Amino acid sequence: MRSRIAASVGWLAACIGISFVPATALASSATYTVRPGDSLYGIAAKFHVTVHQLELWNHLSSNVIHPGQVLVVSQGGSHSVTSSSPSSSRTNASTYVVQPGDSLWSIGQKFHITLSQLEAWNGLHASSAIHPGESLKVSPPKHPTISGAAKPATLSSRGSSPDATNTSLAQSALGFAVADYARTFLGAPYEWGASGPSAFDCSGLIQYVYAHFYIQLPRTSYQQYDAGIPVSEGDLEPGDIVFFDTYGDGPSHDGIYLGGGQFINAASTNVEIDSLSDSYWANHYIGARRVIGQNG
């Protein structure tokens, strides 16, 4: 009934020449139900509040949110609303069921464990993808295997030695998280000028994914090429941005490097994973930029 009333109001408004902005109408609400593709940053912008306020009002310990989750979006909102998903209270559980929007990095933050521990306990590697519904071990197995002992070295790839700083390890973990989150949009349709979450163009995907991690980037691939620091192809890490000259006039296309020579990008029809060694992309590749750790 409510949806019919809303539709009637919208039809009447169109007839008399009045326009309503959905985000403005929503801003008067005390709560908001998270939709697929939402991020705390996007919700904060929609309701003209800060991410810190959302975290405070909803007692969030991380920036991970899930579709269907109800958030308080104003100081006068009902604080009886449960802001966390049913699984978020299972911090003492031995396993965790992956939710939409999760990444290995965010799960590690939730359970106060390292990315290398998650990889070792679950037989994963740096470029592994996780999927909603998948069950992961989030505590040490009763009989740890020897193979898990070598895993911690995986994260030192942004550092040049075993003595890499905590900062470089955190940046490496964030790079893997960016790559994992980008994979959640695999198959989303391409649309020129679209910035998500239902459709993307190349730079729109880049901007949307990084905004989820509070890294603000310019809108176009040309502007994004000027962000961060240059990275040689041999030093690429997950989360780096790779650029291509597809129209003969500079960095007209970009994607997010996933590792193993692969990158994800919004191509001509949809978001897909391609290889840097593919003849087309290899011939049009012009460089890469690293924005993690360089953008505040």
Side-chain angles (χ1 to χ4, degrees):
M1 179 61 74
R2 182 177 298 174
S3 61
R4 292 180 181 177
I5 294 173
S8 298
V9 171
W11 175 84
L12 179 60
C15 290
I16 63 177
I18 299 175
S19 63
F20 291 93
V21 180
T24 304
L26 283 171
S28 61
S29 303
T31 61
Y32 173 76
T33 301
V34 177
R35 300 176 182 177
D38 274 345
S39 67
L40 276 186
Y41 171 80
I43 295 172
K46 177 179 294 185
F47 290 94
H48 308 292
V49 296
T50 67
V51 170
H52 177 70
Q53 286 174 315
L54 285 178
E55 292 173 337
L56 181 65
W57 297 337
N58 293 279
H59 310 290
L60 301 178
S61 58
S62 74
N63 63 357
V64 179
I65 55 177
H66 310 286
Q69 184 176 348
V70 180
L71 297 177
V72 173
V73 292
S74 67
Q75 194 164 16
S78 172
H79 290 276
S80 63
V81 174
T82 301
S83 62
S84 59
S85 64
S87 59
S88 66
S89 61
R90 299 177 55 205
T91 54
N92 294 320
S94 59
T95 60
Y96 172 75
V97 177
V98 177
Q99 303 296 313
D102 275 346
S103 66
L104 287 178
W105 179 78
S106 65
I107 294 171
Q109 294 292 304
K110 183 190 297 288
F111 290 93
H112 307 293
I113 53 181
T114 67
L115 188 60
S116 59
Q117 287 175 317
L118 274 176
E119 291 172 349
W121 298 340
N122 293 279
L124 303 174
H125 51 79
S127 59
S128 293
I130 57 175
H131 309 283
E134 182 178 349
S135 182
L136 295 178
K137 296 182 181 68
V138 290
S139 64
K142 293 182 179 179
H143 303 288
T145 60
I146 295 176
S147 60
K151 292 287 185 178
T154 304
L155 280 184
S156 65
S157 53
R158 285 190 196 269
S160 58
S161 71
D163 297 324
T165 66
N166 289 335
T167 298
S168 65
L169 290 174
Q171 291 174 4
S172 182
L174 182 54
F176 293 127
V178 167
D180 281 344
Y181 184 62
R183 284 189 182 94
T184 66
F185 299 103
L186 193 62
Y190 174 90
E191 180 180 323
W192 188 86
S195 55
S198 58
F200 298 94
D201 65 9
C202 64
S203 56
L205 175 66
I206 304 294
Q207 186 186 53
Y208 190 90
V209 167
Y210 276 94
H212 183 75
F213 298 93
Y214 314 127
I215 298 176
Q216 305 309 305
L217 294 177
R219 178 60 181 84
T220 71
S221 59
Y222 298 93
Q223 294 168 326
Q224 291 169 1
Y225 189 69
D226 293 328
I229 59 173
V231 181
S232 67
E233 187 171 357
D235 292 328
L236 283 171
E237 294 287 349
D240 290 340
I241 306 175
V242 289
F243 292 87
F244 306 87
D245 179 355
T246 54
Y247 297 114
D249 60 348
S252 52
H253 186 77
D254 55 0
I256 297 175
Y257 187 68
L258 301 177
Q262 295 185 320
F263 67 98
I264 188 168
N265 65 123
S268 58
T269 58
N270 56 260
V271 176
E272 62 186 38
I273 294 176
D274 291 302
S275 173
L276 290 175
S277 61
D278 178 90
S279 59
Y280 176 83
W281 297 113
N283 289 334
H284 290 275
Y285 179 81
I286 59 173
R289 295 292 184 270
R290 179 168 299 161
V291 298
I292 294 175
Q294 313 298 322
N295 193 264

